[in-house]
Amino acid sequence: MSRVYPFDDAATARAVIDDEGTLVEWNEGARRLLGHPPDDVLGRPAARLLAGEYPPALPTGARWEGTVGLRHRDGRTVPVWLLAHRRPPHDGHGGGWLVVTPLPAAEPPAEDDPLAAAGLLQSPCAIAVYDAQLRLRRMNEAMTQVIGLPEERLRGLRLAEIGGRPQTDDLEQGMLQVLTTGRPLDVQTSMRTGGEDRAHAWLARMAPVKDARGRVRGVCLAAHDITDSHRARQRLQLVNEASVRVGSTLDVTRTAQELADVCVPALADFVTIDLLDPQEYGGEPPARLSAPVSLRRAAHQSVLDGVPEAVMEPGQTEVYPAGSPQADSLTAGHTITASVAAGDLQQWLTWNRARGEQVRRFGIHSSMSVPIQARGLTLGVAVFTRHRRADPFTADDRLLAEEITTRAAVCIDNARRYSRERETALALQRSLLPRTLPRTAALEASSRYLPAARAGVGGDWFDVIPLSGMRVAMVVGDVVGHGVEASATMGRLRTAVRTLADIDLAPDELLTHLDDLVVRLSEESGGDGSPGEVGATCLYAVYDPVSRRCTLARAGHPPPVLLRPGGRPQLLDLPAGPPLGLGGLPFESAEVALPEGTVLALYTDGLVMSRERDGDAGRELLYEALAGHTHSLDVTCDRVLHALLPPGGVPDDVALLLARTQGLPASQVATWDIPADPALVAPIRKQVVEQLGPWGLSEAAFTAELVVSELVTNAIRYGSHPIRLRLIHDAATLIVEVSDTSHTAPHLRRAKTFDEGGRGLLLVAQLTQRWGSRHTPEGKTIWAELSLFEEDE
């Protein structure tokens, strides 16, 4: 759509010639100049207006100017200076030539003309003054150099006619706004002027020219070449964009790809990121390298679909010899540029024939290799190349590439360090967590552990600990924090729990001792003498298959979920207790009867809590998953994780322990009340031997008789009444327990030669697989386990 201006358009002779040389436009100014009406010339060859022979072809290039002889309608020849602009197709119109010339009526300005006085003709800034018809009246020498044509040739032309480009049409529209409103206006544009070989960025500052009465008489246009500042802003924008886009994750490969993506096409047409393998250098990248250098392609990007310039894919490794851009920049420790124009690019191509063919195929003319360095370490190299952009890399491009690469290098190093710490923490976690759960007569158990996807390995743990009397302990805990320190703290707490479980402490007492340990760990972790912030939660449960009762206590940990046979999952009402590490606060145990086949679910809060839901909503999902419980605990574990955890990775560590209780039949337990008479020990031994017969344990009768005799005699002699003897057995073990109401624990000691006593417990230790004592609410129990099968030597 053509613009309509409130002034005489016939002050310029203007014509348009299409690519076939045919006149397609002819304005009133052209008729005034040569006398031909539009109907006589439109649709006819423009060359017929030339005096003399027709030229062989239309001019080439983007602009042409010169004086030619044109035929007037009356037959005379008129010498006319013409300015022709090559116009590409736009707005649905084909390409062609815009030909203009000012009419002779445009006179030089008078000395008292305010338009003449407005121009700073000797200013280094390019200035031009246009009248109220937006036609050129004056311009200084700086503007003449910008346009590339003298003032006397252009006087009387409009800016759109002088420039002949869409950008000058927009500038002229801005001048019209200044002319009508009387307010100055700034317009930024990018275009190639007559004196430039490539486009520059320009700031056009327009101001109204007023006479002594304040009337707007024209427009003053000052053109400023802002290419340098424009490029500086572009570079700053690219650096800022790199700061946002690069390093969005702690993944080395993805960070490298983000670096390549942000540099294409803003800085280069093809970018490759190759990284060192730290394992080749003992686990840590070196500060200095020597050729040849082995690098792994981490990422690449191109302006062309499919990255056809690449000769290797991400993940592949190649050895770069001396003379390659990668090796040369890494060994030199700084950026190296090369180009076809400088003649040093061909030297780099001799080392690899395939790369040389790619360079020639795509016309790669410039290359820049930037070492990726962070914290004094060399991580790899980024290679930037150009083939679509004609201009080579400049010194500013080099600084920009180094700035972006340096920022990305820190992100890559952070991701590398995180990956290394995560692998270390995972290895530590695997070594500290039980690889398999023990098989016991008390329960069947299955477990799962998932480290956090982004936060890193944490301190979640679980364990199943066999105790005396066929009992078994279950524990789930969560150390605050992530990383190696959390994993190490978890290992210390797990070891402490196993040690405390070995002395058969009640759950609430065990948590009290564990709380003291966490307090000491907090004190030790303070680097400047102040306490650290070690904290943890824990749930500890002991199940007895004989009584089929479970005693539990928790320290700020989520309560377990119970699924009784034929029932619905329910949350166990258990006193919360304070988290570990607060110190001095009490813990409380609770006891609950668990029918055989009850499923007990112990877990950490990462299973049920997330950013999308709270703990109550997560537990509802856990109930639904457990309600579909099958005979296989492994299948149930997988169902729970699938129902509660997102597919893309868990935000926090998750530990899950499922245990199905098994009761010990009454036929496998025998109990006797022991009278306070040492003379009655013999009948008790006889009853024990008689009991072992129906159990099919006659082969163990002799050993069992000796152990019973020593333990019962010791209880009668040193314990308090009442005294009780209990035998428990399963397929592999026979357990002898003697309980009394004394809280004094026995000690194993070696008797001297002439001592009459002191050999009982020593004999028990020699005859049994293991023995020990545990405190009970009524007193203590001495127990010993006899293996029913010979161990393989």
Side-chain angles (χ1 to χ4, degrees):
M1 180 182 295
S2 60
R3 294 189 174 99
V4 178
Y5 294 93
F7 37 73
D8 183 13
D9 191 51
T12 298
R14 183 172 68 252
V16 176
I17 305 172
D18 64 16
D19 287 334
E20 304 299 327
T22 303
L23 278 166
V24 295
E25 287 188 25
W26 186 263
N27 77 337
E28 177 62 19
R31 189 199 64 78
R32 291 181 185 179
L33 179 66
L34 298 179
H36 300 284
D39 293 342
D40 292 348
V41 295
L42 289 178
R44 294 178 172 84
R48 292 183 179 181
L49 295 176
L50 297 175
E53 297 182 359
Y54 292 172
L58 291 172
T60 60
R63 191 179 77 173
W64 179 89
E65 59 90 16
T67 301
V68 297
L70 299 178
R71 296 180 184 274
H72 197 274
R73 186 182 185 188
D74 59 11
R76 58 190 173 90
T77 299
V78 180
V80 180
W81 178 84
L82 299 177
L83 175 61
H85 302 286
R86 180 75 175 89
R87 300 197 304 184
H90 68 286
D91 295 338
H93 300 285
W97 289 86
L98 169 67
V99 183
V100 298
T101 187
L103 295 182
E107 298 293 335
E111 294 184 359
D112 60 348
D113 191 339
L115 298 178
L120 301 177
L121 301 183
Q122 297 182 0
S123 171
C125 176
I127 298 176
V129 180
Y130 293 80
D131 61 17
Q133 303 298 315
L134 292 186
R135 299 190 175 278
L136 179 68
R137 296 295 294 272
R138 296 297 303 270
M139 67 180 183
N140 64 358
E141 182 62 26
M143 183 65 80
T144 300
Q145 294 178 2
V146 169
I147 298 177
L149 294 171
E151 175 189 337
E152 57 270 18
R153 293 294 189 187
L154 303 177
R155 189 179 300 118
L157 294 179
R158 288 167 31 205
L159 178 60
E161 298 166 340
I162 297 173
R165 301 179 183 277
Q167 295 92 329
T168 53
D169 290 343
D170 295 335
L171 290 175
E172 190 174 66
Q173 189 71 12
M175 293 173 62
L176 178 61
Q177 180 179 339
V178 173
L179 187 69
T180 55
T181 64
R183 293 192 295 269
L185 179 67
D186 290 349
V187 177
Q188 290 190 24
T189 186
S190 177
M191 60 185 236
R192 189 179 67 174
T193 63
E196 297 177 334
D197 56 355
R198 57 192 178 95
H200 279 206
W202 293 92
L203 171 63
R205 314 202 71 173
M206 309 170 192
V209 178
K210 301 179 180 180
D211 59 15
R213 298 182 179 180
R215 296 176 298 180
V216 178
R217 301 287 301 276
V219 177
C220 178
L221 171 67
H224 303 274
D225 188 346
I226 60 171
T227 303
D228 292 340
S229 61
H230 179 69
R231 290 178 178 173
R233 286 196 301 271
Q234 285 184 321
R235 294 187 181 97
L236 180 59
Q237 182 179 357
L238 184 57
V239 171
N240 291 337
E241 185 178 358
S243 300
V244 174
R245 292 177 54 186
V246 179
S248 61
T249 66
L250 288 173
D251 181 83
V252 174
T253 301
R254 183 167 178 179
T255 302
Q257 187 63 55
E258 291 168 345
L259 170 59
D261 293 343
V262 80
C263 293
V264 175
L267 182 59
D269 299 323
F270 174 49
V271 175
T272 62
I273 310 296
D274 296 330
L275 300 179
L276 294 163
D277 185 359
Q279 301 304 323
E280 296 186 7
Y281 302 93
E284 192 72 6
R288 285 287 181 179
L289 290 166
S290 59
V293 182
S294 177
L295 296 171
R296 177 181 55 84
R297 175 63 50 85
H300 55 213
Q301 187 55 278
S302 169
V303 294
L304 305 177
D305 293 337
V307 197
E309 307 97 322
V311 297
M312 57 187 298
E313 295 299 321
Q316 295 180 343
T317 302
E318 186 167 350
V319 177
Y320 295 87
S324 63
Q326 290 85 351
D328 284 357
S329 60
L330 286 176
T331 54
H334 58 75
T335 302
I336 296 179
T337 59
S339 64
V340 172
D344 48 9
L345 186 60
Q346 189 63 32
Q347 177 183 356
W348 273 356
L349 300 179
T350 57
W351 73 276
N352 189 294
R353 180 178 178 182
R355 281 180 167 80
E357 292 177 354
Q358 291 292 82
V359 167
R360 288 183 286 272
R361 174 187 173 190
F362 293 98
I364 294 175
H365 58 81
S366 298
S367 176
M368 178 168 55
S369 300
V370 183
I372 302 175
Q373 299 172 325
R375 301 181 177 97
L377 299 176
T378 300
L379 307 176
V381 61
V383 179
F384 305 83
T385 55
R386 286 180 177 175
H387 54 77
R388 176 176 288 183
R389 293 176 58 171
D391 52 316
F393 290 110
T394 64
D396 289 337
D397 292 330
R398 173 175 176 166
L399 293 176
L400 178 60
E402 291 175 344
E403 172 71 16
I404 296 176
T405 303
T406 298
R407 293 184 178 220
V410 175
C411 298
I412 291 175
D413 189 48
N414 289 339
R416 181 189 65 83
R417 292 171 182 265
Y418 167 79
S419 298
R420 185 182 62 181
E421 180 176 336
R422 178 178 173 83
E423 291 173 359
T424 301
L426 277 173
L428 177 61
Q429 189 89 330
R430 294 190 193 100
S431 67
L432 295 175
L433 289 175
R435 297 185 179 181
T436 59
L437 298 178
R439 300 181 64 180
T440 67
L443 53 82
E444 176 190 358
S446 181
S447 64
R448 294 291 187 272
Y449 170 77
L450 294 178
R454 296 185 178 181
V457 178
D460 292 14
W461 91 93
F462 59 90
D463 209 347
V464 174
I465 309 169
L467 302 176
S468 63
M470 296 289 182
R471 297 170 306 126
V472 64
M474 296 164 285
V475 58
V476 172
D478 184 0
V479 175
V480 175
H482 295 87
V484 175
E485 292 185 3
S487 296
T489 302
M490 177 273 290
R492 299 179 70 174
L493 294 183
R494 177 171 178 257
T495 301
V497 170
R498 278 190 161 265
T499 302
L500 295 171
D502 280 344
I503 60 177
D504 263 320
L505 291 180
D508 55 341
E509 294 182 24
L510 183 141
L511 292 181
T512 300
H513 286 279
L514 202 60
D515 181 54
D516 294 338
L517 173 61
V518 175
V519 171
R520 289 196 299 271
L521 292 179
S522 296
E523 295 173 351
E524 294 173 2
S525 66
D528 56 356
S530 59
E533 296 183 355
V534 177
T537 64
C538 184
L539 170 65
Y540 185 77
V542 176
Y543 173 68
D544 187 346
V546 177
S547 65
R548 301 183 184 182
R549 302 188 69 82
C550 185
T551 306
L552 310 92
R554 63 187 180 116
H557 200 83
V561 174
L562 292 182
L563 176 60
R564 290 184 171 87
R568 297 287 300 172
Q570 65 181 68
L571 197 67
L572 182 60
D573 186 12
L574 186 64
L580 300 175
L582 298 183
L585 299 177
F587 299 94
E588 187 177 350
S589 294
E591 190 175 78
V592 58
L594 299 181
E596 184 173 2
T598 299
V599 175
L600 190 65
L602 289 73
Y603 53 90
T604 54
D605 56 7
L607 179 68
V608 296
M609 297 184 65
S610 67
R611 294 181 179 179
E612 292 74 23
R613 63 171 185 263
D614 58 15
D616 292 337
R619 274 186 286 271
E620 289 296 332
L621 293 176
L622 178 59
Y623 297 158
E624 295 178 8
L626 289 176
H629 164 67
T630 64
H631 181 73
S632 172
L633 290 180
D634 280 334
V635 172
T636 305
C637 279
D638 293 336
R639 178 186 290 114
V640 168
L641 296 185
H642 182 268
L644 277 79
L645 302 182
V650 294
D652 193 10
D653 283 30
V654 171
L656 172 65
L657 177 63
L658 296 184
R660 182 165 49 225
T661 62
Q662 300 173 162
L664 201 64
S667 59
Q668 294 180 226
V669 180
T671 305
W672 293 271
D673 291 325
I674 306 300
D677 186 356
L680 298 178
V681 173
I684 294 298
R685 292 200 306 263
K686 183 179 179 181
Q687 294 178 36
V688 168
V689 173
E690 292 174 351
Q691 179 65 52
L692 295 180
W695 284 352
L697 304 180
S698 299
E699 294 182 359
F702 178 73
T703 304
E705 186 178 5
L706 289 177
V707 171
V708 168
S709 178
E710 293 298 332
L711 294 183
V712 170
T713 302
N714 193 69
I716 294 174
R717 184 174 299 174
Y718 303 108
S720 301
H721 289 79
I723 301 173
R724 176 170 295 180
L725 168 65
R726 185 169 71 166
L727 298 184
I728 307 171
H729 86 91
D730 63 1
T733 307
L734 174 65
I735 299 175
V736 178
E737 294 183 346
V738 177
S739 304
D740 67 80
T741 57
S742 171
H743 293 277
T744 303
H747 297 282
L748 180 65
R749 64 185 180 90
R750 293 190 179 274
K752 297 179 182 179
T753 304
F754 299 103
D755 287 349
E756 295 183 0
R759 297 178 177 85
L761 290 181
L762 179 60
L763 180 61
V764 170
Q766 296 296 323
L767 293 175
T768 60
Q769 183 178 359
R770 63 185 187 128
W771 76 279
S773 65
R774 66 174 181 268
H775 290 281
T776 64
E778 296 80 16
K780 68 175 182 299
T781 296
I782 312 299
W783 56 268
E785 291 185 3
L786 287 72
S787 177
L788 300 179
F789 300 98
E790 294 289 340
E791 296 185 0
D792 296 334
E793 296 184 357

